[in-house]
């Protein structure tokens, strides 16, 4: 049910965003590049959802083969961490623009932003290499084929250090960087006077949005994932606590996937040019609707 919701709402929100970024925003800057990559990461994962939706509707019986199972699980892992990194890049972009406005022009230009984006995709993909080796199809006693997550693998000597490393590098460090950027930015804006109040207010909203997303989506997901693997390492034969941890993790996977529906919010909060284009489109739509309404009234009640 959650995946169906994400497929419908995620595509509905992200496709117009990518259209506006590509076709309506004329002057691309570094934030536009990061926003575009954030949306691309979300759309890429959303496009794998039909396979997972059918898999769950088919009572966890995977019919698409081992290769597609590995690809689907790997795409989720890559896009999930790309999403976190691009949100972090947007935070760094805001930090540089506010705290180091002059230095930011040469510290992080468009070419460097593009290079950073490509590096994030490359490094995240390289770091996800273990996923297809431990996530694969398995045949159950009832002849049902499941597409297992690496979290449920018995190879905990691989999955535990891998998951812990991803937690530190892919979640904790970006969160610390984001907190530093936003705190420094707000402190700088407080010193500049009342004429930056509106800018500070927008930045504060963006900061709180990121903190809430980390608190509700990213941290619980990593905690439940590490717990599942840790319990398997302690009790390889399995027990009741492992089953409970697995259930919690399944819930967290569904909840955490909602970030693909929430990330378009960053486009509106962080992208000034994007926000301007949305306002122009909305204004144009309202103007057209008002004009048509007046035309209809004129035709019904001619002067």
């Amino acid at each position: 049910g959650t995946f169906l919701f994400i497929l419908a709402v995620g595509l509905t929100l992200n496709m117009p965003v990518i259209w506006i970024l590509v076709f309506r925003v004329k002057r691309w800057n570094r934030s536009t590049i990061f926003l575009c990559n954030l949306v691309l990461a979300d759309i890429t994962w959303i496009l794998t959802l039909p396979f997972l939706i059918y898999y769950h509707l088919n009572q966890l019986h995977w019919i698409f083969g081992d290769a597609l199972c590995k690809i689907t699980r790997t795409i989720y892992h890559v896009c999930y961490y790309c999403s976190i990194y691009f949100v972090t890049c947007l935070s760094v972009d805001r930090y540089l623009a506010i705290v180091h406005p002059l230095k930011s022009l040469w510290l992080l230009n468009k070419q460097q932003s593009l290079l950073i984006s490509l590096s994030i995709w490359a490094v995240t993909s390289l770091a996800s290499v273990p996923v297809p080796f431990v996530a694969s199809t398995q045949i159950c006693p009832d002849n049902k084929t499941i597409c297992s997550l690496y979290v449920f693998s018995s190879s905990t000597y691989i999955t535990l250090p891998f998951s812990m490393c991803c937690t530190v590098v892919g979640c904790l460090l970006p969160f610390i960087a984001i907190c530093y950027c936003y705190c420094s930015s707000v402190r700088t804006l407080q010193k500049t006077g009342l004429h930056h109040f509106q800018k500070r207010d927008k930045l504060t909203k963006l900061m709180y949005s990121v903190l809430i997303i980390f608190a509700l989506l990213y941290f619980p997901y990593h905690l439940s994932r590490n717990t599942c693997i840790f319990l398997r390492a302690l009790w390889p034969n399995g027990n009741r606590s492992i089953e409970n941890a697995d259930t919690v993790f399944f819930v967290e996977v569904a909840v955490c996937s909602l970030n693909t529906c929430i990330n378009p919010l960053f486009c509106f909060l962080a992208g000034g040019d994007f926000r301007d284009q949305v306002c122009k489109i909305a204004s144009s739509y309202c103007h057209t609707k008002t004009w048509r309404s007046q035309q209809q009234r004129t035709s019904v009640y001619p002067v």
Side-chain angles (χ1 to χ4, degrees), residues 83-103:
S83 179
I84 294 177
Y85 284 130
F86 287 125
V87 169
T88 307
C89 287
L90 287 168
S91 305
V92 173
D93 172 56
R94 295 295 87 202
Y95 163 77
L96 289 174
I98 293 169
V99 181
H100 305 289
L102 297 178
K103 287 183 180 179

Side-chain angles (χ1 to χ4, degrees), residues 1 11-12 185 200 239 267:
L11 279 181
T12 302
S185 300
R200 186 170 71 238
N239 60 12
C267 297

Side-chain angles (χ1 to χ4, degrees), residues 3 45 48-58 60 62 64 69 72-73 76 147:
F3 284 159
W45 182 71
T48 67
L49 280 179
F51 300 105
L52 294 175
I53 290 170
Y54 183 85
Y55 173 54
H56 285 276
L57 291 176
N58 200 30
L60 300 182
W62 184 264
F64 303 108
C69 171
T72 302
R73 298 308 188 191
Y76 173 77
C147 178

